[in-house]
Amino acid sequence: MRTPTSTTRLEPGHAVPLRTLDPVVGPPVTLPDPERHTHVQFRRFAGCPVCNLHLRSVVQRHEEIERAGIREVVLFHSPADELREHVAHLPFAVVADPDRLLYAEFGVEAHRRALLDPRGWPAIARALVRGAWELLRGRGRLPATSQPAGRVGLPADFLIAPDGRIAAAKYGEHVYDQWSVDELLTLASAQSASA
């Protein structure tokens, strides 16, 4: 198995080595999960309005995702202490990777095009309006003004089979370019049918 560099994009069939990840809240998780598929999401920074917009859709359908035999694991490139304040309420594992070690291993990029691509602008607008509403209601938190690992980044999604093989991968082209819950469920269903 080759060791990926920061520019290596992983493709279906690539093997992910077994490891234990420590979420900011909750018990350690094994990646890959030996009993079910794991959906690994690479997001941006703690409190990222666009990331929060997407994660709301995952939270709303989390039970359905679990029934489909999928474990959610979400990574952010923020320090654990800062991240914990923003994600403690989420029903799945959230892992801090402030040094972007797993980002590099999985070939997940940080690039200005994350925000500059017009395809992401409608989501940015929705996220800012939603975030402002949550702040006014006393339910939201602003992200830290300084982000040690930066504010730019592209999302990425990986569906990892119990044997550690990447079943499917998506590298986002803009800030809101990730699998929807429906796409994730379709991919997992196809994997289960072919197993």
Side-chain angles (χ1 to χ4, degrees):
M1 177 172 58
R2 64 190 160 94
T3 303
T5 64
S6 62
T7 58
T8 301
R9 286 189 166 199
L10 305 184
E11 297 178 6
H14 186 100
V16 174
L18 182 66
R19 73 191 78 215
T20 300
L21 301 174
D22 291 314
V24 296
V25 175
V29 295
T30 302
L31 181 69
D33 185 315
E35 312 224 344
R36 56 187 169 164
H37 281 81
T38 306
H39 175 213
V40 179
Q41 296 185 49
F42 287 84
R43 308 309 307 171
R44 297 182 334 135
F45 55 90
C48 164
V50 177
C51 301
N52 292 343
L53 183 68
H54 174 65
L55 291 178
R56 277 188 192 92
S57 69
V58 176
V59 168
Q60 289 171 345
R61 297 181 65 189
H62 186 251
E63 288 181 19
E64 186 179 354
I65 293 167
E66 289 266 309
R67 282 194 308 273
I70 304 166
R71 164 179 264 171
E72 284 289 335
V73 176
V74 181
L75 285 95
F76 283 87
H77 56 75
S78 292
D81 288 343
E82 181 182 339
L83 184 55
R84 191 174 296 111
E85 297 175 18
H86 291 275
V87 302
H89 64 284
L90 295 177
F92 40 77
V94 179
V95 177
D97 185 12
D99 297 322
R100 293 181 179 254
L101 298 176
L102 287 170
Y103 285 73
E105 183 179 326
F106 279 75
V108 180
E109 299 177 31
H111 200 283
R112 282 187 294 274
R113 76 174 178 262
L115 297 172
L116 298 176
D117 191 314
R119 293 174 293 176
W121 295 350
I124 293 171
R126 284 194 320 273
L128 292 174
V129 168
R130 175 78 184 223
W133 176 246
E134 292 295 318
L135 283 171
L136 289 171
R137 295 175 57 201
R139 293 184 164 177
R141 298 183 59 90
L142 287 173
T145 55
S146 173
Q147 296 294 332
R151 291 185 176 273
V152 297
L154 292 164
D157 291 277
F158 298 89
L159 185 62
I160 303 173
D163 65 2
R165 177 185 46 80
I166 293 179
K170 177 177 180 66
Y171 289 91
E173 295 180 11
H174 58 79
V175 70
Y176 204 67
D177 186 19
Q178 69 268 315
W179 289 333
S180 69
V181 173
D182 286 334
E183 288 171 310
L184 171 64
L185 294 172
T186 298
L187 287 166
S189 176
Q191 290 300 312
S192 295
S194 67

